[in-house]
C-alpha cells in the first residue's frame, strides 16, 4: 500500500482498441513505452485478474525463447525501465508476483467492459478498432494465442453490443441507425446471422428492398467462399419475403406512403408484438383520438410481423359491421386466417363449429351448429393453435369499436386460453370515453392483467417529434432556421395532431408555391398566433384534390359517384349509377388504392377516411349532380331488403327527398334495427328520420323519440 507521504502517481493510459499505445497525458511518451515487449507486458498485466501475475507465468508468456536465467533478466530489466517511465510505485512486487497498480490508470478495454451493461453508446465509442490492431509478438506464441482469443472475445462482445443497440434502434424506428449498427456488427463478426437479419429488416422497413437483398447476397457469398456454408432456412425465407414484398400485404396503402414519425410510445408497441411472436400470446391495444396515427402505427406493426414471417390477417370494420354478428371474424378468415396451412390439423369438430358462422370454411369441414358463443370461442382457439404450429400469427382489427361484439368476445376468450402460442392480436380503438361496446371494454380492461400485452395511448406529437416530422417530410426545408420556424408553425396550427401535421407537410411538398408564405410567416412585429395565410382545411383539401386529379376521367367519375354513398364501395350499385361496367371499375381500384384514396380488407373497398369522401363529393360533383346521383341510388336500392342497403337508402332520402315518405321509411328501418338489436343502425335510421320529421305527426315523433331513447340507453348500458 502507498504511504501517505508518497508522491501522487502519474496518470497513465493504455489504448488496446486499434493500434495499441501507452500514453502519459500531457507528457511526451518515452521510447521504452513503445517497445513491443514492454507494451505487451503492460497490456497483459492490466487485463489480468487483479492486474497481477506471477513472475513464472510472465516468463512463459513473454520470453519463452530464452532460458530461465536470461528470461528473468529480461523481465527484471523491463520492470526497471518501466518504473523509470511510470514511477517506482506503478509496478509493485509482492513475493513472486507483480501487480500493475490501478490508481490513475485508464485502460479502454476495461472501461469498455464496465460501460457495456449500463452505457452501451459510450462503450461502443471506445471500439476504435480491433484489439491490439496490427500488433504482433512473434517470439511469444502464447501471447499471440492470448491476443487472438482476446480479439475474438472483444469482437463478439462488440457485435453483441452493436446488435443490442441496433435492435433498440429498430424498436424506436431509427431504421438507418439500425442498419448501420448491424453492418458494423458484420464487420466484427462476418458470419453473424443475427447481424444480417437485423440489417435486412431495417433496410426493408426503410423502403430499401434492393439494399436488403444485396446485404443477403453479400452475406451468403461470403459464407460460401470462406467457410463453405449457406445461410439458414430462416434467413433465406426472410430474403424471399423481401424479394416478393409479401410482407407488405397487411398495410394500408395510404399509410405506406407516409413515413412513420418515431415517437416514444412506438417502442413499447413493437416490443410487445416481438415478444408475442416469439413466446406469445400477446395483445396490443392502440388507443387515441382521431388523427393521432392509430392506423399508421397498426400498419407498421403488421409490416414488422409479416416481415418476421408471421401469417397476418387484418380486418377494417365499417359502421354497418357493428350490428352484424360474427362479421369481423368472417373478415379475419377471408383476410388469411382461414387459409393458414396449419388449420388442416385442427380438430374437425372445431372447424365444423366455425364453418357454421364462417361460410368460407365449409369446404374444410361440415358445419355443426354451435350451442353458444363460448363454443365458437373454443373452436377459434383450436384453429389458431393449429395454425400457429406452422408459424407465428398476427391478427389486427383497425377501428375495433366498429367490430361486432361476438367476434371481439370470441377473440378475448381465445387469447386467454392460448398459453405460449406465438400470436399477436392488435386493435386500434378511440379513447375510452368513445367506446360503447361492452365486449371491447372487457377485453381492453384485461390487457396487462389476465391477457399478456399492453395498451399504448397515442398523444399529440411533442415538439421534438414535430421537428423530426419536418426533417423527414420536408427535405426541401434545408435551412435549420427555416426548419425550426416551420416546426413551431406546425405545432401551433395543428396542436401536434399527426394527421393534420402530415397532411400539411404533404401539401407543402406537392405545392411548392405555398412554401414561401408558410416560411416567412409571421412578418416582423406580428405575433406568432396570428392566422396563417392558408388554412389547415384548405391544405388538406388541396392534398386530396391533387390525388384525385391524378386519376383518369373514368376513375374520377366512379370515385365521385361512390362518395355520395357512404364509406363502403358497393361496386354493383356504383357501376349502375356511373353507367360503367363493373369489370372496368374493378380494374381502376388498384390505381385508387395506390393513390391512398381507398383501402381494402381483402374482400371489399372503402374510402380511406371520411375526409376523402367529403372532399371528393364537394369538389368533383355539383350540387345538382349530387342530388341526381342520390335520387337514382334511392330508386336502385328500393328492391333490396338487407338492412345495410335499407339504412343507406333512408339516409340518402333524408338528404335528397325529405318528406313524409322518407320519414316513414326511416322510422320503419329504425324499428326493425332496434328489434334486431342493431343499435347503431337503429340510431342512424332514427337520425335520418329526424331530418325528415317536419311533416310527421305527434304520435310518429313520440315513436321516434322512444326509439332514439331505447337505442341510446342500450348503448350506454353496453358501456
Amino acid at each position: 500500500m502507498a504511504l501517505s507521504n508518497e508522491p501522487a502517481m502519474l496518470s497513465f493510459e493504455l489504448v488496446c482498441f486499434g493500434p495499441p499505445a501507452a500514453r502519459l497525458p500531457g507528457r511526451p511518451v518515452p521510447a521504452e513505452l513503445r517497445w513491443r515487449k514492454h507494451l505487451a507486458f503492460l497490456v497483459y498485466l492490466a487485463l489480468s485478474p487483479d492486474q497481477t501475475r506471477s513472475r513464472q507465468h510472465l516468463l512463459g508468456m513473454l520470453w519463452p525463447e530464452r532460458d530461465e536465467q536470461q528470461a528473468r533478466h529480461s523481465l527484471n530489466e523491463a520492470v526497471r525501465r518501466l518504473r523509470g517511465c511510470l514511477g517506482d510505485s506503478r509496478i509493485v512486487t509482492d513475493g513472486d508476483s507483480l501487480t500493475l497498480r490501478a490508481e490513475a490508470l485508464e485502460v479502454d478495454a476495461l472501461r469498455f467492459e464496465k460501460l457495456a451493461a449500463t452505457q452501451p453508446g459510450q462503450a461502443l465509442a471506445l471500439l476504435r478498432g480491433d484489439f491490439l490492431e496490427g500488433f504482433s509478438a512473434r517470439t511469444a506464441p502464447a501471447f499471440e494465442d492470448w491476443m487472438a482469443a482476446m480479439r475474438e472475445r472483444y469482437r463478439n462482445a462488440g457485435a453483441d453490443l452493436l446488435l443490442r443497440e441496433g435492435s433498440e434502434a429498430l424498436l424506436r424506428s431509427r431504421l438507418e441507425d439500425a442498419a448501420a449498427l448491424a453492418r458494423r456488427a458484420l464487420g466484427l463478426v462476418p458470419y453473424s446471422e443475427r447481424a444480417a437479419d437485423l440489417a435486412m429488416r431495417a433496410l426493408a422497413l426503410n423502403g430499401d428492398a434492393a439494399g436488403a437483398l444485396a446485404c443477403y447476397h453479400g452475406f451468403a457469398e461470403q459464407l460460401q467462399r470462406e467457410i463453405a456454408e449457406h445461410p439458414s432456412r430462416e434467413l433465406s425465407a426472410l430474403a424471399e419475403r423481401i424479394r416478393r414484398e409479401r410482407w407488405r400485404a397487411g398495410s394500408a396503402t395510404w399509410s405506406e406512403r407516409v413515413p412513420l414519425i418515431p415517437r416514444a410510445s412506438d417502442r413499447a408497441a413493437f416490443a410487445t408484438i416481438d415478444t408475442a411472436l416469439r413466446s406469445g400470446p400477446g395483445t396490443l391495444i392502440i388507443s387515441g383520438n382521431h388523427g393521432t396515427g392509430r392506423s399508421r402505427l397498426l400498419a407498421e406493426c403488421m409490416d414488422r410481423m409479416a416481415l418476421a414471417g408471421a401469417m397476418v390477417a387484418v380486418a377494417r370494420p365499417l359502421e354497418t359491421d357493428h350490428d352484424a354478428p360474427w362479421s369481423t371474424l368472417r373478415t379475419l378468415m377471408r383476410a388469411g386466417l382461414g387459409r393458414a396451412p396449419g388449420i388442416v390439423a385442427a380438430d374437425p369438430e372445431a372447424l365444423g363449429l366455425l364453418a357454421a358462422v364462417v361460410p368460407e370454411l365449409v369446404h374444410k369441414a361440415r358445419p355443426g351448429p354451435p350451442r353458444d358463443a363460448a363454443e365458437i370461442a373454443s373452436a377459434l382457439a383450436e384453429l389458431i393453435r393449429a395454425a400457429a404450429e406452422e408459424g407465428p400469427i398476427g391478427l389486427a382489427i383497425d377501428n375495433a369499436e366498429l367490430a361486432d361484439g361476438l367476434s371481439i368476445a370470441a377473440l378475448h376468450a381465445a387469447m386467454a386460453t392460448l398459453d405460449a402460442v406465438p400470436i399477436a392480436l392488435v386493435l386500434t380503438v378511440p379513447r375510452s370515453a368513445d367506446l360503447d361496446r361492452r365486449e371491447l371494454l372487457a377485453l381492453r380492461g384485461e390487457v396487462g392483467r389476465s391477457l399478456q400485452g399492453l395498451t399504448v395511448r397515442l398523444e399529440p406529437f411533442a415538439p421534438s417529434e414535430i421537428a423530426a416530422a419536418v426533417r423527414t417530410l420536408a427535405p426541401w426545408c434545408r435551412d435549420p432556421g427555416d426548419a425550426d420556424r416551420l416546426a413551431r408553425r406546425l405545432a401551433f396550427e395543428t396542436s401536434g395532431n399527426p394527421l393534420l401535421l402530415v397532411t400539411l407537410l404533404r401539401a407543402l411538398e406537392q405545392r411548392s408555391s405555398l412554401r414561401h408564405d408558410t416560411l416567412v410567416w409571421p412578418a416582423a412585429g406580428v405575433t406568432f398566433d396570428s392566422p396563417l395565410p392558408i388554412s389547415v382545411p384548405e391544405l388538406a383539401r388541396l392534398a386530396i384534390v391533387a390525388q384525385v386529379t391524378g386519376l383518369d376521367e373514368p376513375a374520377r367519375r366512379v370515385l365521385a359517384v361512390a362518395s355520395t354513398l357512404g364509406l363502403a364501395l358497393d361496386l354493383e350499385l356504383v357501376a349502375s349509377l356511373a353507367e360503367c361496367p363493373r369489370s372496368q371499375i374493378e380494374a381502376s381500384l388498384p390505381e385508387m388504392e395506390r393513390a391512398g384514396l381507398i383501402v381494402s380488407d381483402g374482400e371489399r373497398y372503402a374510402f380511406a377516411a371520411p375526409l376523402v369522401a367529403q372532399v371528393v363529393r364537394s369538389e368533383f360533383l355539383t350540387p345538382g349532380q349530387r342530388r341526381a346521383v342520390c335520387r337514382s341510388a334511392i330508386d336502385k336500392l328500393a328492391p333490396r331488403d338487407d338492412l345495410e342497403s335499407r339504412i343507406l337508402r333512408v339516409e340518402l332520402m333524408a338528404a335528397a327527398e325529405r318528406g313524409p315518405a322518407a320519414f316513414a321509411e326511416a322510422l320503419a328501418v329504425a324499428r326493425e334495427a332496434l328489434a334486431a338489436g342493431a343499435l347503431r343502425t337503429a340510431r342512424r335510421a332514427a337520425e335520418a328520420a329526424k331530418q325528415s320529421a317536419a311533416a310527421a305527426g305527434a304520435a310518429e315523433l313520440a315513436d321516434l323519440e322512444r326509439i332514439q331513447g331505447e337505442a341510446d340507453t342500450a348503448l350506454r348500458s353496453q358501456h
Side-chain angles (χ1 to χ4, degrees):
M1 181 179 292
L3 299 175
S4 59
N5 61 353
E6 184 178 296
M9 201 172 296
L10 292 174
S11 295
F12 175 43
E13 180 183 0
L14 279 174
V15 177
C16 300
F17 297 129
R23 298 171 180 165
L24 297 172
R27 301 179 60 183
V29 179
E32 290 87 344
L33 292 183
R34 293 194 291 267
W35 293 355
R36 285 183 177 271
K37 282 291 178 72
H38 288 182
L39 197 53
F41 171 81
L42 289 170
V43 169
Y44 186 72
L45 203 54
L47 298 182
S48 294
D50 299 323
Q51 288 80 50
T52 299
R53 287 291 183 184
S54 70
R55 287 177 178 272
Q56 196 63 38
H57 181 92
L58 291 168
L59 294 177
M61 178 65 68
L62 295 169
W63 289 278
E65 79 283 7
R66 301 187 179 187
D67 61 39
E68 185 168 352
Q69 184 177 354
Q70 289 177 323
R72 284 188 176 276
H73 174 76
S74 296
L75 174 58
N76 291 336
E77 185 65 14
V79 171
R80 184 185 69 81
R81 288 178 177 272
L82 289 171
R83 282 172 174 165
C85 298
L86 303 174
D88 291 342
S89 58
R90 174 61 68 182
I91 302 173
V92 177
T93 301
D94 183 9
D96 189 48
S97 297
L98 293 173
T99 298
L100 183 69
R101 290 180 59 184
E103 292 91 332
L105 172 63
E106 186 72 32
V107 184
D108 58 355
L110 293 176
R111 183 163 174 77
F112 172 84
E113 294 181 353
K114 182 179 180 180
L115 291 172
T118 58
Q119 296 175 288
Q122 292 186 30
L124 286 172
L126 296 172
L127 291 179
R128 295 177 289 267
D130 219 344
F131 180 77
L132 300 188
E133 188 176 292
F135 189 82
S136 66
R138 290 182 296 276
T139 61
F143 181 83
E144 288 278 344
D145 290 345
W146 174 81
M147 185 169 58
M150 293 296 282
R151 280 177 182 161
E152 187 70 15
R153 171 187 168 186
Y154 282 117
R155 282 174 184 167
N156 288 331
D160 284 344
L161 203 55
L162 286 163
L163 292 176
R164 276 170 47 196
E165 287 293 282
S167 297
E168 183 67 20
L170 191 71
L171 288 175
R172 296 185 181 279
S173 296
R174 299 193 336 261
L175 302 178
E176 292 181 1
D177 291 345
L181 289 162
R183 289 192 182 103
R184 284 183 63 189
L186 281 171
L188 292 175
V189 186
Y191 312 130
S192 169
E193 287 220 349
R194 282 178 60 206
D197 177 270
L198 176 61
M200 291 166 64
R201 285 189 291 137
L203 290 165
L205 288 169
N206 206 30
D208 187 5
L213 292 172
C215 176
Y216 170 76
H217 291 305
F219 178 76
E221 289 166 5
Q222 187 169 10
L223 278 183
Q224 177 62 33
R225 182 177 63 251
E226 297 183 5
I227 59 175
E229 290 289 346
H230 299 283
S232 69
R233 183 174 60 182
E234 292 77 13
L235 196 70
S236 298
L238 172 62
E240 184 64 15
R241 288 193 294 274
I242 294 172
R243 182 180 297 112
R244 298 189 177 214
E245 291 199 345
R246 290 192 301 240
W247 59 279
R248 286 199 179 274
S251 296
T253 305
W254 181 275
S255 297
E256 284 180 357
R257 301 183 69 242
V258 179
L260 183 72
I261 308 302
R263 47 184 167 183
S265 55
D266 296 353
R267 185 206 177 282
F270 300 146
T272 298
I273 61 173
D274 282 356
T275 301
L277 295 187
R278 286 196 305 271
S279 56
T283 302
L284 173 66
I285 305 289
I286 302 172
S287 171
N289 291 328
H290 176 68
T292 51
R294 300 190 312 252
S295 295
R296 181 63 186 91
L297 180 55
L298 172 70
E300 187 74 10
C301 288
M302 293 298 99
D303 277 354
R304 288 174 181 245
M305 289 197 286
L307 190 59
M311 189 292 300
V312 171
V314 186
R316 296 185 174 89
L318 298 176
E319 181 81 22
T320 50
D321 295 329
H322 187 271
D323 298 322
W326 304 114
S327 58
T328 302
L329 180 59
R330 287 194 290 271
T331 300
L332 288 173
M333 290 293 179
R334 289 193 300 263
L337 182 57
R339 298 188 300 275
I343 69 172
V344 296
D347 177 45
E349 184 178 348
L351 287 177
L353 290 170
L354 289 170
V357 297
V358 182
E360 287 79 4
L361 295 178
V362 169
H363 66 286
K364 297 185 183 295
R366 178 175 297 177
R371 289 191 297 270
D372 52 37
E375 282 198 328
I376 295 292
S378 179
L380 177 61
E382 168 62 20
L383 180 144
I384 290 172
R385 191 176 288 108
E389 290 291 331
E390 297 291 325
I393 296 172
L395 302 180
I397 305 176
D398 198 7
N399 295 325
E401 73 279 7
L402 299 179
D404 69 283
L406 288 172
S407 295
I408 294 296
L411 285 166
H412 183 175
M415 293 297 288
T417 61
L418 291 170
D419 186 42
V421 174
I423 176 174
L425 173 64
V426 186
L427 300 91
T428 70
V429 298
R431 59 183 184 176
S432 298
D434 293 336
L435 295 181
D436 58 15
R437 174 63 78 187
R438 178 170 57 250
E439 296 87 351
L440 187 56
L441 284 166
L443 185 152
R444 181 172 177 174
E446 292 303 316
V447 171
R449 300 171 63 186
S450 64
L451 294 179
Q452 297 180 45
L454 182 72
T455 294
V456 171
R457 294 172 178 82
L458 299 185
E459 303 293 342
F461 277 151
S464 60
E465 293 163 344
I466 295 175
V470 169
R471 289 193 299 271
T472 302
L473 299 177
W476 50 268
C477 190
R478 298 183 181 89
D479 180 82
D482 284 346
D484 177 67
R485 190 180 185 84
L486 179 58
R488 289 186 294 119
R489 170 71 253 179
L490 292 169
F492 171 78
E493 196 68 44
T494 68
S495 298
N497 180 284
L499 177 62
L500 292 178
L501 179 74
V502 170
T503 299
L504 277 162
L505 286 171
R506 285 163 61 92
L508 289 171
E509 181 182 16
Q510 295 168 3
R511 297 288 295 272
S512 58
S513 60
L514 303 177
R515 297 174 189 169
H516 176 74
D517 288 342
T518 304
L519 291 178
V520 300
W521 178 97
V526 178
T527 60
F528 195 80
D529 58 356
S530 62
L532 185 66
I534 192 162
S535 68
V536 174
E538 174 69 3
L539 284 174
R541 184 186 66 80
L542 288 172
I544 295 170
V545 167
Q547 295 300 109
V548 178
T549 53
L551 304 175
D552 59 27
E553 195 280 329
R556 288 199 302 272
R557 185 173 70 254
V558 165
L559 207 61
V561 167
S563 70
T564 66
L565 307 174
L567 290 183
L569 272 65
D570 184 327
L571 299 186
E572 205 65 52
L573 182 60
V574 170
S576 177
L577 294 172
E579 298 180 348
C580 177
R582 176 168 174 155
S583 59
Q584 184 177 336
I585 294 177
E586 290 174 341
S588 68
L589 293 175
E591 182 186 3
M592 299 179 197
E593 191 175 11
R594 283 192 295 272
L597 299 166
I598 62 174
V599 293
S600 170
D601 62 7
E603 179 69 16
R604 62 187 172 183
Y605 286 89
F607 280 96
L611 180 62
V612 176
Q614 178 186 338
V615 171
V616 172
R617 189 165 56 248
S618 64
E619 295 294 325
F620 293 90
L621 290 173
T622 66
Q625 288 173 323
R626 290 197 294 272
R627 284 193 296 273
V629 171
C630 283
R631 291 192 178 105
S632 182
I634 290 167
D635 292 340
K636 294 181 183 300
L637 286 168
R640 297 188 182 183
D641 59 3
D642 61 287
L643 198 55
E644 184 174 346
S645 296
R646 293 183 65 197
I647 184 62
L648 174 59
R649 185 169 187 268
V650 298
E651 286 177 334
L652 292 173
M653 292 175 71
E657 295 182 355
R658 297 178 184 178
F663 177 84
E665 186 157 350
L667 193 59
V669 172
R671 290 187 186 118
E672 182 178 331
L674 186 62
L679 303 179
R680 286 199 176 197
T681 303
R683 193 161 60 178
R684 288 171 59 194
E687 184 61 32
K690 188 176 180 180
Q691 294 177 36
S692 303
E700 294 170 317
L701 289 175
D703 198 14
L704 173 60
E705 290 182 5
R706 178 188 62 79
I707 292 171
Q708 283 184 305
E710 288 187 25
D712 290 343
T713 300
L715 286 169
R716 282 196 297 271
S717 69
Q718 285 187 352
H719 190 287

